[in-house]
C-alpha cells in the first residue's frame, strides 16, 4: 500500500492527496478514523486519473462529498476516499444553475437568489454538497432535489462521462439511482423560475429561522438520522418513547430535536452507532415501527 500511496502523491501532489489522514477533521460529527488515501480532486480529469489507478490496483473507492450526513467508523476507510469540496464552481445560465458536485448546497441557493431565481429556497439551510444532495434526494420543508434537478452528470466506474435526465435518476424519498450504482456525481443542473428577490430572501430567511429554532445547530451532528416511517414522525416517536436526552459516551439524542444525535464532547462513531441501535430497538418494542437510517454509516468494522 505504501508504494501505491506514494504513486498517488507523485501524480497528484500533496495538495490533492493526504495519506492516513483522520476523517474526523472533515465529518460533521467530528468522528471517524483514517483514510488510507484521501483525495481532493479539483476537476473531473483528476477523478478519472484517480479512479484509473484505484482500478489498476483493485482499491476500494469511496466518495463522501462533504461528509455531512455520514458516520465513519473509528477504523477508517481502506483504499481511495474522495472528498469533492474543491470541485465547487457554480454558474448561472438563463433560468438554470449549473453546479459542480462539491459545491455547498447552501451556497447554490445563494447564487439562485442573487440571480432572482426561485425554486430552491427549501434547500437554503441544508448543510450538504450538491453531489450528496443528488445522491440522497435531499429535502426539507416540502421540497426535494428531484423537484428542481433537470440533469446530472456522472463519472462511471470505467471513467466515462454520462448524463442522466431527472426521470433517469429514479428519484424517490431520500433515494436516487446513484445509491445503487457506483457512478460519481460530477455536476447537476437545476432548472428554476424567475422570481422576486425580496420574496425569495424572505422564504430562505424563514426556513433558516425554523431550522435554527428546531434543530441543534450548536453541536456537531450528522443531521437527520432516520428516514420518516410511513404514517409517523421519527422525532415524535423518539420523544414519546422517553428517549430524548439518552446518551452513550459523548453521543446524545438531542434535547432540542429528537431526530438528531449530537456530539456533546469526544463522541466516537461507536457511540453514535450504539445510540442509533438503542433507538431502533426501543421504537420497535414500543410502537412496532422499524426505523431505517438516513445517515450513511461506513468504514471498517
Amino acid at each position: 500500500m505504501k508504494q501505491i500511496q506514494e504513486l498517488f502523491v507523485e501524480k497528484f501532489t500533496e495538495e490533492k492527496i493526504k495519506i492516513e489522514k483522520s476523517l474526523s477533521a472533515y465529518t460533521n460529527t467530528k468522528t471517524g478514523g483514517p483514510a488510507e488515501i484521501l483525495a481532493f480532486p479539483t476537476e473531473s480529469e483528476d477523478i478519472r486519473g484517480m479512479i484509473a489507478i484505484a482500478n489498476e490496483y483493485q482499491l476500494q473507492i469511496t466518495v463522501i462529498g462533504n461528509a455531512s450526513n455520514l458516520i465513519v467508523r473509528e477504523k477508517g476507510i481502506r483504499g481511495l476516499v474522495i472528498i469533492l469540496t474543491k470541485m465547487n464552481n457554480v454558474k448561472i445560465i438563463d433560468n438554470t444553475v449549473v453546479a459542480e458536485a462539491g459545491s455547498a448546497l447552501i451556497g447554490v441557493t445563494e447564487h439562485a437568489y442573487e440571480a432572482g431565481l426561485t425554486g430552491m429556497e427549501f434547500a437554503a439551510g441544508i448543510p450538504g454538497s450538491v453531489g450528496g444532495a443528488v445522491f440522497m434526494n435531499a429535502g426539507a420543508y416540502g421540497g426535494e432535489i428531484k423537484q428542481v434537478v433537470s440533469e446530472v452528470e456522472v463519472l462511471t466506474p470505467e471513467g466515462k462521462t454520462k448524463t442522466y435526465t431527472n426521470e433517469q435518476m429514479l428519484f424517490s424519498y431520500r433515494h436516487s439511482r446513484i445509491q445503487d450504482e457506483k457512478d460519481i456525481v460530477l455536476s447537476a443542473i437545476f432548472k428554476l423560475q424567475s422570481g422576486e428577490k425580496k420574496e425569495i430572501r424572505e422564504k430562505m430567511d424563514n426556513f433558516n429561522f425554523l431550522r435554527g429554532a428546531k434543530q441543534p445547530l450548536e453541536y456537531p451532528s450528522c443531521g437527520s438520522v432516520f428516514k420518516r416511517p410511513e404514517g409517523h414522525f421519527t422525532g415524535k416517536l423518539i420523544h414519546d418513547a422517553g428517549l430524548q436526552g439518552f446518551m452513550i459516551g459523548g453521543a446524545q439524542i438531542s434535547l432540542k430535536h429528537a431526530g438528531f444525535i449530537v456530539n456533546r464532547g469526544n463522541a466516537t462513531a461507536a457511540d453514535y452507532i450504539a445510540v442509533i441501535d438503542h433507538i431502533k430497538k426501543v421504537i420497535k418494542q414500543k410502537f412496532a415501527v422499524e426505523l431505517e437510517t438516513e445517515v450513511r454509516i461506513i468504514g471498517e468494522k
Side-chain angles (χ1 to χ4, degrees):
M1 172 54 73
K2 187 175 181 181
Q3 288 182 325
I4 302 173
Q5 290 170 328
E6 291 172 351
L7 176 61
F8 269 92
V9 173
E10 180 183 339
K11 185 169 178 61
F12 299 103
T13 76
E14 291 184 359
E15 180 186 355
K16 296 180 181 179
I17 301 293
K18 307 297 179 188
I19 303 302
E20 300 294 345
K21 180 74 171 178
S22 173
L23 290 165
S24 63
Y26 305 99
T27 60
N28 279 22
T29 59
K30 305 304 178 188
T31 66
E36 285 188 321
I37 303 169
L38 182 59
F40 296 87
T42 59
E43 57 187 355
S44 59
E45 286 306 311
D46 286 340
I47 304 179
R48 282 192 181 87
M50 292 168 180
I51 288 176
I53 296 174
N55 286 340
E56 180 181 351
Y57 291 96
Q58 297 182 321
L59 298 183
Q60 172 182 303
I61 301 170
T62 305
V63 181
I64 62 176
N66 73 346
S68 58
N69 199 217
L70 187 72
I71 295 171
V72 180
R73 296 183 181 94
E74 269 68 42
K75 287 191 176 181
I77 305 177
R78 294 187 182 278
L80 173 65
V81 178
I82 300 174
I83 292 181
L84 296 171
T85 48
K86 291 186 178 180
M87 290 180 59
N88 55 16
N89 291 317
V90 180
K91 58 185 177 181
I92 306 293
I93 302 176
D94 299 324
N95 281 9
T96 65
V97 182
V98 183
E100 288 188 310
S103 307
L105 194 60
I106 292 172
V108 173
T109 66
E110 291 292 337
H111 279 278
Y113 159 71
E114 291 294 341
L117 297 177
T118 184
M120 287 197 74
E121 292 88 338
F122 71 90
I126 297 177
S129 64
V130 165
V134 168
F135 176 88
M136 67 174 296
N137 185 26
Y141 302 110
E144 288 182 302
I145 287 297
K146 72 175 183 180
Q147 297 168 355
V148 290
V149 163
S150 61
E151 291 183 2
V152 177
E153 184 183 33
V154 304
L155 192 67
T156 69
E158 297 75 35
K160 295 181 180 179
T161 304
K162 185 185 295 186
T163 300
Y164 293 128
T165 63
N166 181 296
E167 293 76 17
Q168 290 172 328
M169 282 295 294
L170 306 178
F171 286 120
S172 59
Y173 177 64
R174 300 297 178 265
H175 182 269
S176 75
R177 71 180 297 163
I178 307 299
Q179 295 179 26
D180 305 319
E181 300 170 11
K182 294 185 178 180
D183 295 335
I184 298 172
V185 176
L186 295 178
S187 66
I189 299 177
F190 300 96
K191 189 173 183 181
L192 307 174
Q193 299 82 41
S194 295
E196 294 292 330
K197 288 186 70 174
K198 182 181 178 182
E199 293 180 8
I200 295 169
R201 174 51 66 191
E202 286 176 352
K203 286 183 182 178
M204 292 170 67
D205 288 347
N206 182 53
F207 287 144
N208 282 327
F209 171 77
L210 292 173
R211 186 180 294 274
K214 295 179 179 179
Q215 296 183 8
L217 304 182
E218 63 272 28
Y219 294 108
S221 81
C222 55
S224 181
V225 177
F226 298 101
K227 295 180 181 179
R228 185 179 66 248
E230 190 173 351
H232 299 277
F233 290 100
T234 307
K236 187 176 187 307
L237 286 172
I238 296 170
H239 171 80
D240 291 348
L243 289 174
Q244 216 156 352
F246 177 81
M247 193 169 182
I248 294 177
Q252 181 186 47
I253 300 173
S254 170
L255 292 166
K256 193 172 184 179
H257 189 310
F260 286 68
I261 300 173
V262 297
N263 185 343
R264 291 299 301 267
N266 300 315
T268 65
D271 293 340
Y272 268 90
I273 294 167
V275 173
I276 288 170
D277 290 342
H278 183 72
I279 292 171
K280 285 182 173 181
K281 180 180 177 181
V282 172
I283 297 305
K284 185 175 181 180
Q285 287 175 343
K286 285 183 175 289
F287 306 112
V289 174
E290 294 266 7
L291 290 182
E292 182 181 351
T293 51
E294 178 175 313
V295 63
R296 293 170 65 204
I297 302 173
I298 63 175
E300 294 292 307
K301 293 184 179 179

